[in-house]
PDB file of all heavy atoms in Angstrom:
ATOM      1  N   SER A  12      90.975 -57.479 -85.444  1.00 98.00           N
ATOM      2  CA  SER A  12      91.627 -57.016 -84.225  1.00 98.00           C
ATOM      3  C   SER A  12      90.492 -56.880 -83.210  1.00 98.00           C
ATOM      4  O   SER A  12      89.428 -56.356 -83.543  1.00 98.00           O
ATOM      5  CB  SER A  12      92.297 -55.672 -84.514  1.00 98.00           C
ATOM      6  OG  SER A  12      92.472 -54.960 -83.331  1.00 98.00           O
ATOM      7  N   SER A  15      88.362 -53.627 -82.684  1.00 98.00           N
ATOM      8  CA  SER A  15      87.919 -52.873 -83.864  1.00 98.00           C
ATOM      9  C   SER A  15      86.387 -52.888 -84.006  1.00 98.00           C
ATOM     10  O   SER A  15      85.771 -53.953 -84.107  1.00 98.00           O
ATOM     11  CB  SER A  15      88.540 -53.476 -85.126  1.00 98.00           C
ATOM     12  OG  SER A  15      87.859 -52.981 -86.263  1.00 98.00           O
ATOM     13  N   PRO A  16      85.754 -51.705 -84.053  1.00 98.00           N
ATOM     14  CA  PRO A  16      84.300 -51.692 -84.255  1.00 98.00           C
ATOM     15  C   PRO A  16      83.921 -52.268 -85.620  1.00 98.00           C
ATOM     16  O   PRO A  16      82.836 -52.828 -85.784  1.00 98.00           O
ATOM     17  CB  PRO A  16      83.938 -50.198 -84.173  1.00 98.00           C
ATOM     18  CG  PRO A  16      85.201 -49.456 -84.422  1.00 98.00           C
ATOM     19  CD  PRO A  16      86.316 -50.337 -83.965  1.00 98.00           C
ATOM     20  N   PHE A  17      84.840 -52.155 -86.578  1.00 98.00           N
ATOM     21  CA  PHE A  17      84.555 -52.664 -87.926  1.00 98.00           C
ATOM     22  C   PHE A  17      84.621 -54.189 -87.943  1.00 98.00           C
ATOM     23  O   PHE A  17      83.765 -54.855 -88.524  1.00 98.00           O
ATOM     24  CB  PHE A  17      85.535 -52.044 -88.925  1.00 98.00           C
ATOM     25  CG  PHE A  17      85.507 -50.544 -88.874  1.00 98.00           C
ATOM     26  CD1 PHE A  17      86.537 -49.821 -88.277  1.00 98.00           C
ATOM     27  CD2 PHE A  17      84.419 -49.839 -89.364  1.00 98.00           C
ATOM     28  CE1 PHE A  17      86.488 -48.437 -88.200  1.00 98.00           C
ATOM     29  CE2 PHE A  17      84.363 -48.450 -89.287  1.00 98.00           C
ATOM     30  CZ  PHE A  17      85.401 -47.753 -88.704  1.00 98.00           C
ATOM     31  N   ARG A  20      81.541 -55.652 -86.290  1.00 98.00           N
ATOM     32  CA  ARG A  20      80.369 -55.764 -87.180  1.00 98.00           C
ATOM     33  C   ARG A  20      80.370 -57.124 -87.881  1.00 98.00           C
ATOM     34  O   ARG A  20      79.334 -57.789 -87.975  1.00 98.00           O
ATOM     35  CB  ARG A  20      80.447 -54.697 -88.268  1.00 98.00           C
ATOM     36  CG  ARG A  20      80.151 -53.308 -87.816  1.00 98.00           C
ATOM     37  CD  ARG A  20      80.419 -52.354 -88.969  1.00 98.00           C
ATOM     38  NE  ARG A  20      79.994 -51.005 -88.652  1.00 98.00           N
ATOM     39  CZ  ARG A  20      80.280 -49.945 -89.388  1.00 98.00           C
ATOM     40  NH1 ARG A  20      80.999 -50.071 -90.498  1.00 98.00           N
ATOM     41  NH2 ARG A  20      79.861 -48.743 -89.064  1.00 98.00           N
ATOM     42  N   LEU A  39      98.385 -54.734 -85.873  1.00 98.00           N
ATOM     43  CA  LEU A  39      98.277 -53.615 -86.820  1.00 98.00           C
ATOM     44  C   LEU A  39      99.510 -52.718 -86.820  1.00 98.00           C
ATOM     45  O   LEU A  39      99.684 -51.900 -87.718  1.00 98.00           O
ATOM     46  CB  LEU A  39      97.007 -52.794 -86.523  1.00 98.00           C
ATOM     47  CG  LEU A  39      95.706 -53.585 -86.708  1.00 98.00           C
ATOM     48  CD1 LEU A  39      94.498 -52.739 -86.359  1.00 98.00           C
ATOM     49  CD2 LEU A  39      95.566 -54.125 -88.129  1.00 98.00           C
ATOM     50  N   LYS A  42     102.211 -55.293 -89.616  1.00 98.00           N
ATOM     51  CA  LYS A  42     101.218 -56.002 -90.427  1.00 98.00           C
ATOM     52  C   LYS A  42     101.792 -57.254 -91.101  1.00 98.00           C
ATOM     53  O   LYS A  42     102.912 -57.216 -91.617  1.00 98.00           O
ATOM     54  CB  LYS A  42     100.640 -55.047 -91.470  1.00 98.00           C
ATOM     55  CG  LYS A  42      99.811 -53.953 -90.807  1.00 98.00           C
ATOM     56  CD  LYS A  42      99.244 -52.981 -91.798  1.00 98.00           C
ATOM     57  CE  LYS A  42      98.505 -51.876 -91.043  1.00 98.00           C
ATOM     58  NZ  LYS A  42      98.104 -50.767 -91.876  1.00 98.00           N
ATOM     59  N   TYR A  53      93.848 -50.975 -98.839  1.00 98.00           N
ATOM     60  CA  TYR A  53      93.760 -50.219 -97.584  1.00 98.00           C
ATOM     61  C   TYR A  53      94.689 -50.746 -96.482  1.00 98.00           C
ATOM     62  O   TYR A  53      94.940 -50.048 -95.510  1.00 98.00           O
ATOM     63  CB  TYR A  53      92.314 -50.225 -97.073  1.00 98.00           C
ATOM     64  CG  TYR A  53      91.352 -49.480 -97.970  1.00 98.00           C
ATOM     65  CD1 TYR A  53      90.345 -50.150 -98.667  1.00 98.00           C
ATOM     66  CD2 TYR A  53      91.448 -48.101 -98.126  1.00 98.00           C
ATOM     67  CE1 TYR A  53      89.459 -49.475 -99.487  1.00 98.00           C
ATOM     68  CE2 TYR A  53      90.576 -47.411 -98.943  1.00 98.00           C
ATOM     69  CZ  TYR A  53      89.578 -48.092 -99.627  1.00 98.00           C
ATOM     70  OH  TYR A  53      88.712 -47.414-100.435  1.00 98.00           O
ATOM     71  N   LYS A  54      95.107 -52.032 -96.642  1.00 98.00           N
ATOM     72  CA  LYS A  54      95.989 -52.671 -95.646  1.00 98.00           C
ATOM     73  C   LYS A  54      95.363 -52.625 -94.239  1.00 98.00           C
ATOM     74  O   LYS A  54      96.020 -52.369 -93.241  1.00 98.00           O
ATOM     75  CB  LYS A  54      97.375 -52.003 -95.629  1.00 98.00           C
ATOM     76  CG  LYS A  54      98.054 -52.020 -97.001  1.00 98.00           C
ATOM     77  CD  LYS A  54      99.338 -51.239 -96.991  1.00 98.00           C
ATOM     78  CE  LYS A  54     100.045 -51.268 -98.327  1.00 98.00           C
ATOM     79  NZ  LYS A  54      99.349 -50.584 -99.414  1.00 98.00           N
ATOM     80  N   GLN A  55      94.045 -52.779 -94.191  1.00 98.00           N
ATOM     81  CA  GLN A  55      93.322 -52.690 -92.919  1.00 98.00           C
ATOM     82  C   GLN A  55      92.537 -53.966 -92.649  1.00 98.00           C
ATOM     83  O   GLN A  55      92.177 -54.690 -93.589  1.00 98.00           O
ATOM     84  CB  GLN A  55      92.331 -51.521 -92.966  1.00 98.00           C
ATOM     85  CG  GLN A  55      92.986 -50.151 -92.955  1.00 98.00           C
ATOM     86  CD  GLN A  55      91.964 -49.042 -92.942  1.00 98.00           C
ATOM     87  OE1 GLN A  55      90.919 -49.151 -93.571  1.00 98.00           O
ATOM     88  NE2 GLN A  55      92.251 -47.973 -92.244  1.00 98.00           N
ATOM     89  N   ILE A  56      92.231 -54.166 -91.361  1.00 98.00           N
ATOM     90  CA  ILE A  56      91.253 -55.192 -90.990  1.00 98.00           C
ATOM     91  C   ILE A  56      89.909 -54.496 -90.893  1.00 98.00           C
ATOM     92  O   ILE A  56      89.885 -53.266 -90.746  1.00 98.00           O
ATOM     93  CB  ILE A  56      91.626 -55.897 -89.663  1.00 98.00           C
ATOM     94  CG1 ILE A  56      91.786 -54.890 -88.507  1.00 98.00           C
ATOM     95  CG2 ILE A  56      92.894 -56.699 -89.821  1.00 98.00           C
ATOM     96  CD1 ILE A  56      90.563 -54.614 -87.756  1.00 98.00           C
ATOM     97  N   PRO A  57      88.769 -55.162 -90.986  1.00 98.00           N
ATOM     98  CA  PRO A  57      88.636 -56.609 -91.143  1.00 98.00           C
ATOM     99  C   PRO A  57      88.750 -57.028 -92.618  1.00 98.00           C
ATOM    100  O   PRO A  57      88.431 -56.255 -93.515  1.00 98.00           O
ATOM    101  CB  PRO A  57      87.219 -56.856 -90.642  1.00 98.00           C
ATOM    102  CG  PRO A  57      86.470 -55.596 -90.978  1.00 98.00           C
ATOM    103  CD  PRO A  57      87.459 -54.491 -90.800  1.00 98.00           C
ATOM    104  N   CYS A  67      86.811 -56.955 -98.415  1.00 98.00           N
ATOM    105  CA  CYS A  67      87.264 -55.911 -97.495  1.00 98.00           C
ATOM    106  C   CYS A  67      86.166 -54.873 -97.303  1.00 98.00           C
ATOM    107  O   CYS A  67      85.252 -54.782 -98.107  1.00 98.00           O
ATOM    108  CB  CYS A  67      88.504 -55.209 -98.061  1.00 98.00           C
ATOM    109  SG  CYS A  67      89.841 -56.357 -98.410  1.00 98.00           S
ATOM    110  N   GLN A  68      86.311 -54.079 -96.250  1.00 98.00           N
ATOM    111  CA  GLN A  68      85.391 -53.011 -95.841  1.00 98.00           C
ATOM    112  C   GLN A  68      84.183 -53.633 -95.125  1.00 98.00           C
ATOM    113  O   GLN A  68      83.386 -54.362 -95.733  1.00 98.00           O
ATOM    114  CB  GLN A  68      84.923 -52.154 -97.022  1.00 98.00           C
ATOM    115  CG  GLN A  68      86.031 -51.347 -97.669  1.00 98.00           C
ATOM    116  CD  GLN A  68      86.509 -50.179 -96.798  1.00 98.00           C
ATOM    117  OE1 GLN A  68      85.833 -49.737 -95.892  1.00 98.00           O
ATOM    118  NE2 GLN A  68      87.694 -49.705 -97.054  1.00 98.00           N
ATOM    119  N   SER A  69      84.067 -53.310 -93.839  1.00 98.00           N
ATOM    120  CA  SER A  69      83.113 -54.008 -92.987  1.00 98.00           C
ATOM    121  C   SER A  69      81.669 -54.027 -93.516  1.00 98.00           C
ATOM    122  O   SER A  69      81.012 -55.071 -93.490  1.00 98.00           O
ATOM    123  CB  SER A  69      83.134 -53.426 -91.569  1.00 98.00           C
ATOM    124  OG  SER A  69      82.827 -52.046 -91.586  1.00 98.00           O
ATOM    125  N   LEU A  70      81.180 -52.887 -94.000  1.00 98.00           N
ATOM    126  CA  LEU A  70      79.774 -52.878 -94.436  1.00 98.00           C
ATOM    127  C   LEU A  70      79.572 -53.733 -95.689  1.00 98.00           C
ATOM    128  O   LEU A  70      78.524 -54.362 -95.864  1.00 98.00           O
ATOM    129  CB  LEU A  70      79.294 -51.440 -94.677  1.00 98.00           C
ATOM    130  CG  LEU A  70      79.180 -50.571 -93.416  1.00 98.00           C
ATOM    131  CD1 LEU A  70      78.778 -49.142 -93.776  1.00 98.00           C
ATOM    132  CD2 LEU A  70      78.185 -51.169 -92.422  1.00 98.00           C
ATOM    133  N   ASP A 105      79.203 -44.549 -90.441  1.00 98.00           N
ATOM    134  CA  ASP A 105      80.614 -44.484 -90.827  1.00 98.00           C
ATOM    135  C   ASP A 105      81.112 -43.043 -90.877  1.00 98.00           C
ATOM    136  O   ASP A 105      82.222 -42.747 -90.455  1.00 98.00           O
ATOM    137  CB  ASP A 105      80.822 -45.126 -92.203  1.00 98.00           C
ATOM    138  CG  ASP A 105      81.194 -46.588 -92.078  1.00 98.00           C
ATOM    139  OD1 ASP A 105      81.220 -47.096 -90.943  1.00 98.00           O
ATOM    140  OD2 ASP A 105      81.458 -47.222 -93.123  1.00 98.00           O
ATOM    141  N   TYR A 109      81.471 -42.597 -86.396  1.00 98.00           N
ATOM    142  CA  TYR A 109      82.882 -42.989 -86.316  1.00 98.00           C
ATOM    143  C   TYR A 109      83.783 -41.764 -86.183  1.00 98.00           C
ATOM    144  O   TYR A 109      84.676 -41.709 -85.342  1.00 98.00           O
ATOM    145  CB  TYR A 109      83.275 -43.823 -87.542  1.00 98.00           C
ATOM    146  CG  TYR A 109      84.754 -44.077 -87.613  1.00 98.00           C
ATOM    147  CD1 TYR A 109      85.395 -44.809 -86.608  1.00 98.00           C
ATOM    148  CD2 TYR A 109      85.535 -43.562 -88.646  1.00 98.00           C
ATOM    149  CE1 TYR A 109      86.767 -45.023 -86.634  1.00 98.00           C
ATOM    150  CE2 TYR A 109      86.901 -43.763 -88.677  1.00 98.00           C
ATOM    151  CZ  TYR A 109      87.503 -44.494 -87.663  1.00 98.00           C
ATOM    152  OH  TYR A 109      88.863 -44.687 -87.693  1.00 98.00           O
TER     153      TYR A 109
HETATM  154  N1  GSH B 301      86.179 -48.480 -93.527  1.00 55.20           N
HETATM  155  C1  GSH B 301      86.892 -49.621 -93.011  1.00 55.20           C
HETATM  156  C2  GSH B 301      87.663 -49.191 -91.793  1.00 55.20           C
HETATM  157  C3  GSH B 301      88.598 -50.287 -91.280  1.00 55.20           C
HETATM  158  C4  GSH B 301      89.595 -49.729 -90.262  1.00 55.20           C
HETATM  159  O1  GSH B 301      89.670 -48.524 -90.000  1.00 55.20           O
HETATM  160  N2  GSH B 301      90.395 -50.656 -89.684  1.00 55.20           N
HETATM  161  C5  GSH B 301      91.409 -50.243 -88.746  1.00 55.20           C
HETATM  162  C6  GSH B 301      91.207 -50.927 -87.398  1.00 55.20           C
HETATM  163  S1  GSH B 301      89.792 -50.353 -86.581  1.00 55.20           S
HETATM  164  C7  GSH B 301      92.786 -50.676 -89.262  1.00 55.20           C
HETATM  165  O2  GSH B 301      92.955 -51.712 -89.848  1.00 55.20           O
HETATM  166  N3  GSH B 301      93.796 -49.833 -89.000  1.00 55.20           N
HETATM  167  C8  GSH B 301      95.152 -50.068 -89.387  1.00 55.20           C
HETATM  168  C9  GSH B 301      95.635 -49.061 -90.385  1.00 55.20           C
HETATM  169  O3  GSH B 301      94.839 -48.250 -90.883  1.00 55.20           O
HETATM  170  O4  GSH B 301      96.823 -49.072 -90.654  1.00 55.20           O
HETATM  171  C10 GSH B 301      85.884 -50.726 -92.721  1.00 55.20           C
HETATM  172  O5  GSH B 301      84.685 -50.450 -92.599  1.00 55.20           O
HETATM  173  O6  GSH B 301      86.275 -51.906 -92.678  1.00 55.20           O
END
Side-chain angles (χ1 to χ4, degrees):
S12 157
S15 165
F17 305 105
R20 286 174 173 170
L39 297 178
K42 293 179 183 170
Y53 294 113
K54 303 174 179 67
Q55 290 183 323
I56 56 90
C67 304
Q68 294 288 341
S69 59
L70 292 177
D105 267 4
Y109 172 63

